Amino acid sequence: MYLVDTNVILEVLLEREQADEAEKFLCQMPRGSLFVSEFSLYSLGVFFFRQGKYEVFLKLVEDLFESLAICLVRLTTQDVPALISAAQRYHLDFDDAYQYAVAEKHDLTIVSFDCDFDRTERGRKTPKEVTL
């Protein structure tokens, strides 16, 4: 079970250097094995709304949650202490601490291109490491 970090999705959408690796990962993983945090979903929404790309965001939501059957996970107010603890313990910014706390809460492996997770107890895997 894997938590897909925002940067993996953006890699595909923005056709960045590792887009093929990220797309292969998203498309080849078994249905029900991938999760995206609510924070990632809203971060993507902010990104596309700022550019006026409402239809791109709608298509993204349809692709992720309907076509790929990715599951949405979130933190509650009761999880804020865990979020703060992760930020302080591993020197993470808010978005990385959120991802870390949600991965801990749901016992998920973080899949990300962000090396900040490398200094955490859970670590991270790249999309390529998971699909090999």
Side-chain angles (χ1 to χ4, degrees):
M1 308 291 253
Y2 301 97
L3 179 68
V4 182
D5 196 12
T6 314
N7 59 43
V8 173
I9 297 165
L10 281 174
E11 196 75 16
V12 175
L13 294 173
L14 301 179
E15 299 176 354
R16 292 180 177 161
E17 186 178 327
Q18 296 169 305
D20 289 341
E21 174 185 336
E23 186 171 15
K24 180 180 176 184
F25 162 73
L26 290 170
C27 294
Q28 290 186 355
M29 295 304 294
R31 294 175 72 81
S33 66
L34 299 180
F35 295 78
V36 168
S37 73
E38 188 175 59
F39 184 84
S40 287
L41 174 64
Y42 296 150
S43 295
L44 291 163
V46 168
F47 179 82
F48 287 110
F49 273 52
R50 281 187 180 150
Q51 299 176 33
K53 295 183 177 182
Y54 308 106
E55 294 302 316
V56 172
F57 181 67
L58 177 60
K59 174 89 168 85
L60 169 67
V61 169
E62 291 169 348
D63 288 347
L64 291 178
F65 301 106
E66 293 173 24
S67 299
L68 296 176
I70 293 177
C71 304
L72 191 65
V73 289
R74 66 187 298 261
L75 296 178
T76 66
T77 55
Q78 290 81 17
D79 300 313
V80 170
L83 186 150
I84 292 170
S85 174
Q88 292 174 329
R89 190 172 15 164
Y90 303 115
H91 308 287
L92 300 173
D93 60 15
F94 182 85
D95 56 328
D96 289 345
Y98 190 101
Q99 300 294 70
Y100 189 86
V102 84
E104 263 194 343
K105 178 179 181 175
H106 297 281
D107 195 25
L108 302 170
T109 300
I110 299 168
V111 178
S112 178
F113 292 112
D114 187 343
C115 60
D116 289 340
F117 294 111
D118 293 345
R119 63 178 177 258
T120 69
E121 190 175 307
R122 296 188 80 80
R124 57 120 186 179
K125 299 225 180 263
T126 65
K128 190 176 193 176
E129 291 173 315
V130 175
T131 53
L132 287 179

